[in-house]
Amino acid sequence: MGERAVVVGGGIGGLAAAIGLHRTGWEVTVLERADVLDDAGAGISLAANGIRALDALGVGPAVRAAGRGQYTGGTRTPRGSRLSRMDGAALERALGTPVVGIPRADLHRILRSALPASCLALGTEVTSVEDLEADLVVAADGLRSRIRAALFPGHPGPAYSGSTVLRAITAEPVSLDSDFELTWGAGEEFGHIAFADGRAEWHAVLGSPPGVRHRDPLAVLHRRFADWHRTVRYLLDATRPEDVLHHDIHELAEPLPSFVAGRVALLGDAAHAMPPHLGQGACQALEDAVTLAAELAAGPDRAAALARYDAARRPRTGAVARAARRAGRMGPQLTHPLARAARDTALRLAPSGATVRAILRHADWTPPSLVPRGYSDRSSTAGDSTQSAT
Ligand code: FAD
């Protein structure tokens, strides 16, 4: 029998870690407190680093097939004038893939299908890691990680970012003239991601005290965005009121001193929850998953492997989290009229290619090899186990 790993949490990070460990010879169980795993109702964009990590896990082709390449779009003002253009084709030339937009439910389905059903224990809430019988515990239990709180009792935990987000997927296919767009007002953002089936996810980021909720959030958004450009109103019109999700955005503002404690490795939002303004939280969780499995496969000394995982992942995720915070301050959180005017002018004057270079800074990540030393590839997935995006 191989070594035994227990993954706590069946989100994107936990499922990806389970796939990586399973493929490299571990006996894996995922313990998930929810009865159903689908994260339905919202979408996600995956930059090249996330797609490459999925390739390394053997599920990249399925995700690309179910997703939609984001080729056109950029940023706009509320009146609709263009601030910057996204060049998905240039990104694809540079990185081997454009950003891919996909409903979260589809991504979950693909990740789940890469694991034997017997790996998943749904409706199972972990209250302590002490009793888990495992050589390795992966804490992928998200922003409000109970395991993190127990292992690092002095850490302050999640902090409110100052912004709240409402989002939904349109009820039916919509006709849009761009794949991905962000529109910035004074301290607010409206954006969309188009999906392969013609539907789209939109989101509205608003500055707000935490905990504020509305009886009819869609009506509130219709009023708030009444004089914004046509696409914004069109997407709100295409949405059923009951489909609107509302979450306050929290982050781990203070970095953890380590992503490892004994036999426990923290991963994804449990380790480094960041604001969503770069669309990198899940991509970083996917990078974590591949790196963890690869380091553990690289040699028999588990403690050394976990130390290498920590050394690789903390600086990387810290830098991306800081960049995500900066992106929030320069985007949806910017309120001062002069600062907004200066930003808008800088964006309009930026040479073509500047947006591509900004995305490349974080997305150009190459996964370590997942081929285990001394093991044969025990994958049960149909995908290709080698990374082919570059
Ligand atoms: P989670 O998805 O939170 O999963 C944790 C899992 O653990 C859950 O299933 C939970 O039920 C389970 N769990 C918790 N406690 C226990 C317990 N005690 N026992 C058992 N199970 C437990 N990222 C991108 O890369 N691209 C994007 O476009 C993007 N957009 C975003 C938009 C918004 C509005 C937000 C808020 C985030 C966005 N992100 C994006 C970030 C991304 O959603 C997260 O970083 C990612 O989903 C984190 O995955 P995770 O598996 O670490 O945590």
Side-chain angles (χ1 to χ4, degrees), residues 129-160:
V129 292
E130 314 272 296
D131 308 328
L132 297 175
E133 283 177 25
D135 302 298
L136 169 76
V137 175
V138 179
D141 50 344
L143 170 76
R144 301 198 181 281
S145 169
R146 213 163 167 159
I147 301 179
R148 181 187 64 231
L151 293 175
F152 300 99
H155 187 271
Y160 182 53

Coordinates of all heavy atoms in Angstrom, one line a residue, residues 129-160:
V129 N -7.2 17.9 13.3 CA -6.4 17.0 12.5 C -5.7 15.9 13.3 O -5.2 15.0 12.7 CB -5.2 17.8 11.7 CG1 -5.8 18.7 10.7 CG2 -4.4 18.6 12.7
E130 N -5.7 16.1 14.6 CA -5.1 15.1 15.5 C -5.5 13.7 15.2 O -4.6 12.8 15.1 CB -5.4 15.4 17.0 CG -5.3 16.9 17.3 CD -3.9 17.2 17.8 OE1 -3.5 16.7 18.8 OE2 -3.3 18.1 17.1
D131 N -6.8 13.5 15.0 CA -7.3 12.1 14.9 C -7.2 11.5 13.5 O -7.6 10.4 13.2 CB -8.8 12.0 15.3 CG -8.9 12.7 16.7 OD1 -8.0 12.6 17.5 OD2 -10.0 13.3 17.0
L132 N -6.8 12.3 12.5 CA -6.7 11.8 11.1 C -5.6 10.9 10.9 O -4.4 11.2 11.3 CB -6.6 13.0 10.2 CG -7.7 14.1 10.1 CD1 -7.4 15.2 9.2 CD2 -9.0 13.4 9.7
E133 N -5.9 9.7 10.5 CA -4.9 8.7 10.3 C -4.3 8.9 8.9 O -4.9 8.5 7.9 CB -5.5 7.3 10.4 CG -5.7 6.9 11.8 CD -6.4 5.5 11.9 OE1 -6.3 4.7 11.0 OE2 -7.1 5.3 12.9
A134 N -3.1 9.5 8.9 CA -2.5 9.8 7.6 C -1.1 10.2 7.7 O -0.6 10.7 8.8 CB -3.3 11.0 7.0
D135 N -0.3 9.9 6.7 CA 1.1 10.3 6.7 C 1.2 11.8 6.4 O 2.2 12.5 6.7 CB 1.9 9.5 5.6 CG 1.8 8.0 5.9 OD1 2.3 7.6 7.0 OD2 1.2 7.3 5.1
L136 N 0.2 12.3 5.6 CA 0.2 13.7 5.2 C -1.2 14.2 5.3 O -2.2 13.5 4.9 CB 0.7 13.8 3.7 CG 0.5 15.1 3.0 CD1 1.6 16.1 3.5 CD2 0.6 14.9 1.5
V137 N -1.4 15.4 5.8 CA -2.7 16.1 5.8 C -2.5 17.4 5.0 O -1.6 18.2 5.2 CB -3.1 16.4 7.3 CG1 -4.4 17.2 7.2 CG2 -3.3 15.2 8.1
V138 N -3.4 17.5 4.0 CA -3.4 18.8 3.3 C -4.6 19.6 3.7 O -5.8 19.2 3.6 CB -3.6 18.5 1.7 CG1 -3.6 19.8 0.9 CG2 -2.4 17.6 1.3
A139 N -4.3 20.8 4.3 CA -5.4 21.6 4.8 C -5.8 22.6 3.6 O -5.1 23.5 3.3 CB -4.9 22.5 6.0
A140 N -6.9 22.2 3.0 CA -7.4 23.0 1.8 C -8.8 23.4 2.2 O -9.7 23.3 1.4 CB -7.4 22.1 0.6
D141 N -9.0 23.8 3.5 CA -10.3 24.1 4.0 C -10.7 25.6 3.9 O -11.5 26.1 4.6 CB -10.5 23.6 5.4 CG -9.4 24.0 6.3 OD1 -8.3 24.4 5.9 OD2 -9.6 23.9 7.6
G142 N -10.0 26.3 3.0 CA -10.5 27.6 2.5 C -10.2 28.8 3.5 O -9.5 28.7 4.5
L143 N -10.8 29.9 3.1 CA -10.5 31.2 3.8 C -10.7 31.1 5.3 O -9.8 31.6 6.1 CB -11.6 32.2 3.3 CG -11.7 33.5 4.0 CD1 -10.5 34.4 3.6 CD2 -13.0 34.3 3.7
R144 N -11.7 30.4 5.8 CA -12.0 30.3 7.2 C -11.4 29.0 7.8 O -12.0 28.4 8.7 CB -13.4 30.5 7.5 CG -14.0 31.8 7.0 CD -15.3 32.3 7.6 NE -15.6 33.5 7.0 CZ -15.1 34.7 7.3 NH1 -14.2 34.8 8.3 NH2 -15.5 35.8 6.6
S145 N -10.3 28.6 7.3 CA -9.7 27.3 7.7 C -9.6 27.1 9.2 O -9.0 27.9 9.9 CB -8.3 27.3 7.1 OG -7.5 26.2 7.7
R146 N -10.2 26.1 9.6 CA -10.2 25.7 11.0 C -8.8 25.1 11.4 O -8.3 25.3 12.5 CB -11.2 24.6 11.2 CG -11.9 24.5 12.5 CD -13.1 23.7 12.3 NE -13.6 23.4 13.6 CZ -14.8 23.0 13.9 NH1 -15.7 22.8 12.9 NH2 -15.2 22.7 15.1
I147 N -8.2 24.4 10.4 CA -6.9 23.9 10.6 C -5.9 25.0 10.8 O -5.0 24.9 11.7 CB -6.5 22.9 9.5 CG1 -7.6 21.8 9.4 CG2 -5.1 22.3 9.7 CD1 -7.3 20.8 8.3
R148 N -5.9 26.0 10.0 CA -5.0 27.1 10.1 C -5.1 27.7 11.5 O -4.1 28.0 12.2 CB -5.3 28.2 9.0 CG -4.3 29.4 9.1 CD -4.7 30.4 8.1 NE -6.0 31.0 8.4 CZ -7.0 31.1 7.6 NH1 -6.9 30.8 6.3 NH2 -8.1 31.7 7.9
A149 N -6.4 28.0 11.9 CA -6.6 28.6 13.2 C -6.0 27.8 14.3 O -5.5 28.3 15.3 CB -8.1 28.8 13.4
A150 N -6.1 26.4 14.2 CA -5.6 25.6 15.3 C -4.1 25.5 15.3 O -3.4 25.5 16.3 CB -6.2 24.2 15.1
L151 N -3.5 25.5 14.1 CA -2.0 25.4 14.0 C -1.3 26.8 14.3 O -0.2 26.8 14.7 CB -1.6 25.0 12.6 CG -2.0 23.5 12.2 CD1 -1.7 23.2 10.8 CD2 -1.3 22.5 13.2
F152 N -2.0 27.9 13.9 CA -1.4 29.2 14.1 C -2.3 30.1 14.9 O -2.9 31.0 14.4 CB -1.1 29.8 12.8 CG -0.2 29.0 11.9 CD1 -0.6 28.2 10.9 CD2 1.2 29.1 12.1 CE1 0.2 27.5 10.1 CE2 2.1 28.3 11.3 CZ 1.6 27.5 10.3
P153 N -2.5 29.7 16.2 CA -3.5 30.4 17.0 C -3.2 31.9 17.2 O -4.1 32.7 17.4 CB -3.4 29.7 18.4 CG -2.1 29.0 18.4 CD -1.8 28.7 17.0
G154 N -1.9 32.4 17.0 CA -1.6 33.8 17.1 C -1.9 34.6 15.8 O -1.9 35.8 15.8
H155 N -2.3 33.9 14.7 CA -2.5 34.6 13.5 C -3.9 35.2 13.5 O -4.9 34.6 14.0 CB -2.4 33.6 12.3 CG -2.5 34.3 11.0 ND1 -3.7 34.5 10.3 CD2 -1.6 34.8 10.2 CE1 -3.5 35.1 9.2 NE2 -2.2 35.3 9.1
P156 N -4.0 36.5 13.0 CA -5.3 37.2 13.2 C -6.4 36.6 12.3 O -7.6 36.9 12.5 CB -5.0 38.6 12.8 CG -3.7 38.5 12.0 CD -3.0 37.4 12.5
G157 N -6.1 35.8 11.3 CA -7.1 35.2 10.4 C -7.6 36.2 9.3 O -6.9 37.2 9.1
P158 N -8.7 35.9 8.7 CA -9.1 36.8 7.6 C -9.5 38.2 8.0 O -10.0 38.4 9.1 CB -10.4 36.1 7.0 CG -10.4 34.7 7.7 CD -9.6 34.8 8.9
A159 N -9.2 39.1 7.1 CA -9.6 40.5 7.3 C -10.5 41.0 6.1 O -10.4 40.5 5.0 CB -8.4 41.4 7.3
Y160 N -11.5 41.9 6.5 CA -12.4 42.4 5.4 C -11.6 43.3 4.5 O -10.9 44.2 5.0 CB -13.6 43.1 6.1 CG -14.5 43.6 5.0 CD1 -15.1 42.7 4.1 CD2 -15.0 44.9 5.1 CE1 -16.0 43.2 3.1 CE2 -15.9 45.4 4.1 CZ -16.4 44.5 3.2 OH -17.3 45.0 2.2

